[in-house]
Amino acid sequence: MKLNPFEILKKYVQSGEIKDWRWEETHIHRQEEYLIGESREMIVERSRRVSDRQFHLYISVPIGSDQQGGYFGQLNELDNFEKELSAFIEKAQVSSEKLWEVDAFVENKSIASAKSYDARVLKDPSLVSRGLTEVLAGQVQNITQSQFNSGEVFVTSTEKMVRASNGYEDVLKQSKIYVEVCFSSFGTEESDSQEYVVTRWGVHSDQIDIPEMCKVSNENCNALSRAEKMPTGKFSVLVDSEILAPMFDDVVTQLNLQRKYLSLPFISSGELLVDGSHQHWSLSLDPEIPYGMRTSNYNQWGREQKKLTLISDNRVTNNIVDKQHGSYLDKKPNTSIGNMRVTAKTPRQVDELRKTEGIVVEILQLSGLFTDVNTLTFSSEIRLARVIDNTTGKSFFAKGGNFSGSFKDNTTQIVFSNEQTDQHLMNFRIDGGVSYFGPKWALLNGVSITS
Amino acid sequence: MRTQLTPSFLILRDQSEKVFEYLQEQLHSHLYISISSQRIFKENFLVNPKEQSYNDDLIRGMNIRVFDGSTMHEWAHPQSDLGVIKGELDQWLETLKSIKPAKPVYVSPSWTERLAAVSESEILSQVSEAPETSEWVHFGVPQKKPWPKSTQEGMDWLKDRYTDFKNETLKLEEKHPARVLDFSLARLDLSFEEHCFIDSSVRMTQALPRVLCVIAAVKKGERGYHLTGGLGGMETIQLTSEEFHHIFNDLENLVKAEPLPPGRYDLLMHPSVSGVFAHEAFGHSQEGDTWARGRSKAKDLYESKESVGNSHATILNNPAIYKNAWEDAMAWGSYFFDEEGWLASEQVLVDQGQLQLPMTDFVSSYRLQIPRTANGKRESWSHGIYTRQTNTYFSEGDKTFDQLLAQVKNGYYARHPYGGMEDPKGMGIQVGIGYVEEIVDGQLTGRTFKGPNGGAIQMTGYVPDYLNQIVDKSKIDAFSQGKDHSKYPWNEIGGCGKYHKESVHAGCGGPYLLVSNALLS
């Protein structure tokens, strides 16, 4: 009788040839609309439907008494699984890491199912895409102070079936939505036409506010047309969640115990994050927040993921510890997957932050923020900012110049806004995407701007 | 021996051809139908002090494209066997069957027409004089030293290189910061990329072997690294003690670097940095889809014939660099044809300060009614096509490195790029630089500087200003006195993102380049 792949894997575990395994079957459906403006109308330049189905297998194999090898690869010959498994074992034996044990799966039946997807997207990404595209088309016709030049609507549904040697079995569902809108100002004799792109990622379609995106794009392309030269100096700088999210993501990375194991820059539990800061805010890793890109009940091996406070009142209270690196460094594993949640104890209304003494530079858009996870520094050319001079009461739009600073120097007096938001980011530098939930704005102190 | 197609890809190619024939039967003859299929087998070897790992991935899929004169309809699927996909495909085709254009929406050029626009012998030598439409034309890459024959051989090769590197650190003085490293790694990526393209006029395939080796070291949060490789065999990798000492020097320079006072300085750029400058300056704004979307000021500047730079400001894009300067490899962004079956050739984007026509993909070329170029690229089969850069670089000058250095009274030398960004409509530019070394009276002083915040330095400003501030450029072979022997300037290994997501391979480079009045902070 021919054994099915799981029976074969079980046989290999029993014989000791394989230590652990994890099987993943992933189905992806995506609808993409590429939109372009033409004579005040929005037309579909490209319409794209993508399907994908992949089978992956991870196996670990024992090597000597204190090492193990591992290999994660795509399964291509399911009809001849045992032959392919032999090749997997051979490849796993090429790798080597210190031995660690995967815990047996413990199911928590009382756990509420994580809200990691929009059911409408899972049912039919094309329908959601069509709905979002229609909303955008309506906005394009309504906006007359600028012209729509282009947009994109991508809607993706993912279902991943997971089964592992430790007893973990699950079906993970996820939705991702990306919308981009871009309007251009009308050029005049005094000023060239300018464009302002607004992008949003989300897990649920309710997180994508297309009318607001169009409003911002329309207003700011016109603001760019009258933007002046950026002043030079050190200023209080108001940044929004689009900048806060990658900055905090670097901090979260430095709190991961894996970095200690590899001797990379690492901030240990008990340490102060920022010298001299008296600000009261906390940062947690929270996998339970609905509709985050890292909302999940379990990690890849089925370990339950719960909210974990990482920083409280400027002091690191916990490091992120996965089972592997925890066992190497004798630390108890906790949560390694989650969304960032920032909470401020004494937030203020953003309008108050704008009225901070002296000059406040409110960043509206950066050309491209570069952050360095090792040094926690950041820098970018400023695409558009609002300069608010509270000594003269003058306010104007400005562009150009370089915004640069470091988390440790420029958050000593950080003040967060009362206004809350969710910000989801995904790019080729952030694997799988990140979500930030917390204050929509924060005022950084003494940031260098050079123009 | 040139790279050939794998048996697995030959099956994918033949299945794609059958799907193409089916589409021709099902859809109106005036529609423009094409198929591009891809199979990429990627292997990644990694060694660091704590572990060694090997992983691989197979990326395989087919893209069907149907253009109706206004919209490009696309269907992407991992399977290509008509028997397997027919049900799903028929469902999608239903939406297209009612489209019946009055005349052909696009006439695909014949082989004769395509070859007439190409001058590179590496392409011409692989095509018979006038191939039939139904004939498959294959393009391969010469490999002098074969890739590792097995996973174990690949890992052994990498471990040997890592050991060479570690042994070299032991030869350093006790006080040298690289003598005892916090972290280091060696990585080898081997990627065998096979593509086919089918439309009513041509059938073509290519097999691109991509090799990348990285050695990186970290000390006190600072990072030194060396990237080497290209398209070809193992001969593309340059890893000698000289390269290791570049890493050590960079680490030493970064650890001791002082904060740079923000300001305007003369800046001498290494080709790695001048390449990022070219890529960002009039690379992105010369992408046809950005023109077509009304998101580039380059279109207005081209139409008004306004100058955007001085006589040194010549920028090219070229996917047909089959010998990367003095290296034994094809440049990183090279290929024989793009994802839409357009043959590679050199293109001037800016000619001595005058903007030329942009790079295009099929849709942007059609929309703008300008010539097609071989710049339709995608991240993988599951991503859409955009107009993307291949190898972007400044043209060479006539000075040696020393002659350029001698022109700097007070300024800095930038060796390592640290990313870049451009605002195509506002013409703002950002070029990241790992650190700079001071130049006084034409001499490097050994004093090094990093950003005022302790991170990378950013060069920011207005693109045409910078292109007017180019003082001089080096020859390709900047350290020899004679004539250049290389046909094209050296291009660094790199990648490029577009609209904050789509990532593709891209080379960028050029000569050493001196600019005045660069805003560094």
Side-chain angles (χ1 to χ4, degrees):
Chain A
M1 193 180 78
K2 195 176 173 186
L3 296 174
N4 73 37
F6 300 110
E7 289 167 330
I8 294 169
L9 284 163
K10 200 174 166 186
K11 190 180 81 177
Y12 274 74
V13 171
Q14 281 167 351
S15 73
E17 280 181 86
I18 289 179
K19 194 171 154 288
D20 297 294
W21 56 265
R22 192 178 65 251
W23 173 288
E24 297 179 357
E25 180 182 342
T26 310
H27 295 247
I28 296 170
H29 294 281
R30 186 166 62 246
Q31 182 67 36
E32 302 172 357
E33 305 296 339
Y34 301 75
L35 311 157
I36 193 161
E38 206 169 80
S39 311
R40 303 211 58 77
E41 290 292 319
M42 184 181 88
I43 60 167
V44 179
E45 186 182 59
R46 277 187 289 152
S47 178
R48 203 160 178 273
R49 187 176 297 180
V50 184
S51 302
D52 199 2
R53 186 183 183 195
Q54 295 174 357
F55 295 88
H56 281 96
L57 178 68
Y58 168 83
I59 59 162
S60 61
V61 296
I63 298 177
S65 58
D66 63 348
Q67 296 280 308
Q68 66 179 54
Y71 169 69
F72 181 74
Q74 201 172 128
L75 289 162
N76 299 301
E77 292 181 48
L78 292 175
D79 292 341
N80 198 350
F81 179 72
E82 197 149 8
K83 184 184 162 200
E84 191 156 19
L85 188 59
S86 298
F88 268 58
I89 292 170
E90 203 173 300
K91 287 175 180 177
Q93 285 164 342
V94 172
S95 297
S96 167
E97 63 190 13
K98 210 169 151 185
L99 196 69
W100 64 283
E101 296 303 324
V102 173
D103 287 333
F105 174 61
V106 180
E107 189 176 5
N108 180 353
K109 288 193 173 156
S110 65
I111 196 169
S113 187
K115 292 180 177 170
S116 60
Y117 63 94
D118 178 339
R120 287 173 297 166
V121 172
L122 264 285
K123 193 175 173 198
D124 188 351
S126 304
L127 203 62
V128 175
S129 166
R130 200 177 312 145
L132 291 167
T133 306
E134 280 168 10
V135 173
L136 180 53
Q139 293 296 311
V140 168
Q141 292 199 322
N142 289 342
I143 290 174
T144 54
Q145 302 91 342
S146 59
Q147 58 189 342
F148 175 75
N149 67 43
S150 60
E152 290 184 350
V153 176
F154 290 11
V155 181
T156 308
S157 77
T158 305
E159 284 189 78
K160 187 191 274 186
M161 276 67 82
V162 184
R163 197 165 164 179
S165 52
N166 66 340
Y168 176 49
E169 270 186 57
D170 206 353
V171 178
L172 309 169
K173 296 178 183 176
Q174 198 173 43
S175 48
K176 279 185 181 150
I177 301 168
Y178 172 77
V179 175
E180 171 183 312
V181 300
C182 189
F183 284 78
S184 299
S185 63
F186 298 110
T188 63
E189 278 187 14
E190 293 81 39
S191 64
D192 291 335
S193 165
Q194 297 288 341
E195 55 108 36
Y196 193 91
V197 65
V198 179
T199 61
R200 287 287 177 272
W201 283 95
V203 171
H204 196 285
S205 50
D206 290 350
Q207 291 167 330
I208 311 287
D209 186 348
I210 290 177
E212 176 64 16
M213 291 172 71
C214 293
K215 179 174 168 278
V216 170
S217 179
N218 169 47
E219 286 174 359
N220 288 349
C221 68
N222 283 299
L224 265 166
S225 297
R226 53 182 195 277
E228 300 173 25
K229 189 173 185 261
M230 187 66 65
T232 291
K234 286 199 168 187
F235 304 108
S236 298
V237 173
L238 189 65
V239 295
D240 68 10
S241 54
E242 213 165 326
I243 297 168
L244 291 170
M247 280 171 61
F248 278 101
D249 188 47
D250 281 355
V251 173
V252 169
T253 303
Q254 279 218 8
L255 298 174
N256 195 317
L257 193 73
Q258 183 187 14
R259 291 180 65 89
K260 183 176 184 181
Y261 180 67
L262 293 174
S263 303
L264 289 165
F266 168 76
I267 310 167
S268 189
S269 177
E271 280 184 50
L272 280 176
L273 180 69
V274 178
D275 280 343
S277 171
H278 303 292
Q279 302 306 306
H280 297 289
W281 54 270
S282 64
L283 169 67
S284 55
L285 199 63
D286 192 344
E288 297 163 37
I289 307 173
Y291 310 122
M293 291 213 173
R294 294 189 182 170
T295 297
S296 182
N297 288 124
Y298 299 105
N299 75 0
Q300 57 184 348
W301 286 106
R303 182 179 184 83
E304 192 178 335
Q305 302 290 285
K306 297 174 190 166
K307 183 181 173 183
L308 175 72
T309 301
L310 299 171
I311 293 169
S312 185
D313 293 344
N314 193 32
R315 192 172 291 280
V316 177
T317 53
N318 284 293
N319 287 112
I320 297 166
V321 184
D322 61 58
K323 178 70 203 299
Q324 179 183 3
H325 297 95
S327 67
Y328 295 164
L329 298 172
D330 200 21
K331 299 279 182 193
K332 201 176 159 203
N334 51 33
T335 291
S336 50
I337 295 176
N339 307 296
M340 292 179 284
R341 161 86 81 186
V342 172
T343 316
K345 276 195 182 157
T346 51
R348 289 158 59 187
Q349 294 292 324
V350 68
D351 281 342
E352 282 182 59
L353 301 182
R354 291 187 179 114
K355 288 175 188 158
T356 300
E357 199 182 329
I359 291 176
V360 174
V361 176
E362 179 177 359
I363 303 288
L364 298 171
Q365 192 168 63
L366 297 171
S367 292
L369 179 65
F370 287 93
T371 64
D372 184 331
V373 70
N374 287 330
T375 57
L376 298 183
T377 55
F378 52 84
S379 56
S380 174
E381 204 230 1
I382 299 169
R383 188 145 195 280
L384 181 65
R386 186 185 288 117
V387 179
I388 306 160
D389 186 343
N390 288 309
T391 54
T392 62
K394 195 184 158 202
S395 166
F396 60 94
F397 290 104
K399 64 179 176 183
N402 186 40
F403 153 86
S404 69
S406 99
F407 192 93
K408 293 196 171 188
D409 294 336
N410 304 116
T411 64
T412 54
Q413 305 297 319
I414 192 169
V415 187
F416 290 99
S417 74
N418 256 328
E419 294 84 350
Q420 299 290 301
T421 195
D422 55 275
Q423 182 77 47
H424 312 273
L425 294 178
M426 207 172 130
N427 59 46
F428 37 84
R429 297 201 301 174
I430 302 174
D431 188 28
V434 295
S435 292
Y436 162 99
F437 293 83
K440 187 166 183 181
W441 287 279
L443 191 71
L444 309 178
N445 51 281
V447 181
S448 168
I449 289 179
T450 311
S451 172
Chain B
M1 177 71 179
R2 289 183 186 273
T3 47
Q4 298 299 310
L5 300 174
T6 59
S8 301
F9 189 76
L10 285 169
I11 294 170
L12 173 59
R13 183 196 76 173
D14 294 346
Q15 287 176 339
S16 300
E17 194 172 25
K18 284 198 173 67
V19 173
F20 181 76
E21 286 160 7
Y22 180 69
L23 293 169
Q24 283 186 310
E25 287 164 19
Q26 297 294 312
L27 296 173
H28 195 272
S29 61
H30 288 171
L31 295 167
Y32 175 60
I33 305 165
S34 65
I35 289 185
S36 65
S37 296
Q38 182 184 71
R39 183 184 186 274
I40 301 176
F41 183 60
K42 287 181 174 182
E43 295 179 284
N44 168 246
F45 302 80
L46 180 78
V47 179
N48 70 41
K50 299 282 174 66
E51 59 209 12
Q52 64 186 51
S53 68
Y54 167 84
N55 283 295
D56 57 38
D57 200 9
L58 180 68
I59 298 161
R60 179 194 186 280
M62 175 180 70
N63 270 273
I64 295 172
R65 305 179 95 202
V66 179
F67 184 59
D68 66 9
S70 173
T71 299
M72 178 67 86
H73 306 269
E74 300 188 21
W75 191 81
H77 204 282
Q79 296 284 336
S80 48
D81 182 344
L82 189 58
V84 174
I85 61 172
K86 191 168 175 300
E88 270 184 81
L89 180 59
D90 282 347
Q91 209 182 356
W92 180 71
L93 289 176
E94 276 308 308
T95 61
L96 303 178
K97 283 185 176 169
S98 59
I99 306 173
K100 295 172 180 171
K103 56 179 185 176
V105 296
Y106 177 75
V107 178
S108 175
S110 66
W111 269 115
T112 308
E113 289 165 315
R114 285 167 196 254
L115 292 171
V118 171
S119 58
E120 282 292 337
S121 61
E122 276 289 302
I123 293 181
L124 297 172
S125 65
Q126 296 187 69
V127 190
S128 63
E129 210 157 278
E132 296 291 323
T133 293
S134 59
E135 185 183 330
W136 280 104
V137 173
H138 176 67
F139 299 97
V141 177
Q143 285 183 296
K144 289 181 186 162
K145 284 190 195 167
W147 284 9
K149 289 183 185 63
S150 68
T151 311
Q152 187 64 55
E153 196 181 308
M155 184 59 80
D156 291 344
W157 181 90
L158 187 66
K159 280 164 74 178
D160 287 347
R161 300 292 78 72
Y162 186 61
T163 303
D164 293 344
F165 171 72
K166 295 290 282 185
N167 286 342
E168 206 66 28
T169 62
L170 300 176
K171 296 178 190 165
L172 295 168
E173 287 176 28
E174 287 290 333
K175 63 179 185 184
H176 195 291
R179 168 86 187 202
V180 181
L181 293 165
D182 293 339
F183 178 75
S184 58
L185 65 80
R187 200 182 89 196
L188 173 67
D189 292 348
L190 300 173
S191 177
F192 195 75
E193 305 175 0
E194 296 167 275
H195 302 262
C196 76
F197 177 81
I198 309 166
D199 75 0
S200 52
S201 298
V202 292
R203 305 269 190 283
M204 58 181 89
T205 58
Q206 62 186 346
L208 306 174
R210 192 179 293 278
V211 184
L212 170 67
C213 185
V214 185
I215 304 282
V218 177
K219 180 76 176 201
K220 294 182 179 173
E222 304 293 354
R223 188 186 54 151
Y225 65 92
H226 177 69
L227 289 177
T228 177
L231 273 73
M234 297 303 275
E235 71 279 2
T236 61
I237 292 179
Q238 292 294 311
L239 268 185
T240 63
S241 63
E242 190 183 335
E243 281 80 29
F244 297 152
H245 281 272
H246 283 313
I247 299 173
F248 304 149
N249 290 342
D250 286 340
L251 267 184
E252 186 178 29
N253 287 337
L254 279 160
V255 168
K256 73 176 187 187
E258 305 162 47
L260 180 77
R264 291 189 176 273
Y265 304 100
D266 286 353
L267 186 70
L268 177 56
M269 298 178 184
H270 181 275
S272 295
V273 180
S274 73
V276 175
F277 178 29
H279 180 96
E280 306 298 345
F282 273 107
H284 283 300
S285 53
Q286 284 284 66
E287 291 167 348
D289 53 358
T290 307
W291 269 45
R293 290 173 179 210
R295 293 180 60 178
S296 173
K297 191 176 162 63
K299 184 169 186 287
D300 299 337
L301 292 168
Y302 169 78
E303 285 165 355
S304 68
K305 299 197 179 337
E306 197 177 318
S307 169
V308 296
N310 62 24
S311 60
H312 295 295
T314 295
I315 300 175
L316 300 99
N317 182 264
N318 189 357
I321 300 184
Y322 302 117
K323 181 161 171 44
N324 190 20
W326 48 86
E327 289 185 354
D328 219 356
M330 277 167 61
W332 196 241
S334 305
Y335 42 65
F336 298 98
F337 60 87
D338 70 359
E339 293 272 353
E340 300 175 303
W342 205 257
L343 295 174
S345 63
E346 180 187 86
Q347 183 188 8
V348 178
L349 302 176
V350 181
D351 186 7
Q352 298 184 68
Q354 289 298 317
L355 278 165
Q356 307 298 302
L357 282 170
M359 299 163 277
T360 57
D361 63 298
F362 175 89
V363 172
S364 63
S365 155
Y366 188 91
R367 196 162 294 287
L368 293 164
Q369 292 296 295
I370 57 174
R372 279 180 71 179
T373 66
N375 294 86
K377 291 171 69 174
R378 59 169 108 239
E379 184 174 315
S380 77
W381 69 270
S382 66
H383 290 245
I385 286 177
Y386 295 87
T387 311
R388 306 303 298 269
Q389 296 174 63
T390 58
N391 302 298
T392 311
Y393 50 93
F394 281 97
S395 64
E396 67 272 23
D398 57 4
K399 301 293 189 297
T400 63
F401 176 80
D402 288 341
Q403 286 170 330
L404 290 184
L405 195 63
Q407 294 183 50
V408 184
K409 187 159 175 51
N410 277 296
Y412 293 98
Y413 171 51
R415 170 80 182 75
H416 279 291
Y418 197 89
M421 198 59 85
E422 194 209 2
D423 168 10
K425 194 76 169 178
M427 297 270 94
I429 189 171
Q430 172 181 348
V431 176
I433 300 162
Y435 73 92
V436 292
E437 184 174 350
E438 185 185 51
I439 306 169
V440 174
D441 293 331
Q443 298 288 325
L444 289 162
T445 67
R447 268 183 92 188
T448 54
F449 296 83
K450 54 188 170 185
N453 60 355
I457 294 166
Q458 298 292 338
M459 179 184 101
T460 55
Y462 186 64
V463 171
D465 287 349
Y466 276 118
L467 293 185
N468 276 302
Q469 288 159 210
I470 301 173
V471 177
D472 216 336
K473 298 184 290 190
S474 77
K475 296 149 59 233
I476 298 172
D477 304 313
F479 294 92
S480 73
Q481 296 296 327
K483 262 180 75 176
D484 279 330
H485 296 295
S486 304
K487 186 174 176 185
Y488 298 113
W490 178 77
N491 274 263
E492 171 76 291
I493 291 168
C496 169
K498 183 151 174 162
Y499 305 141
H500 306 281
K501 46 186 174 62
E502 312 292 330
S503 175
V504 295
H505 299 300
C508 65
Y512 288 85
L513 187 140
L514 177 61
V515 292
S516 63
N517 215 26
L519 177 63
L520 303 180
S521 60

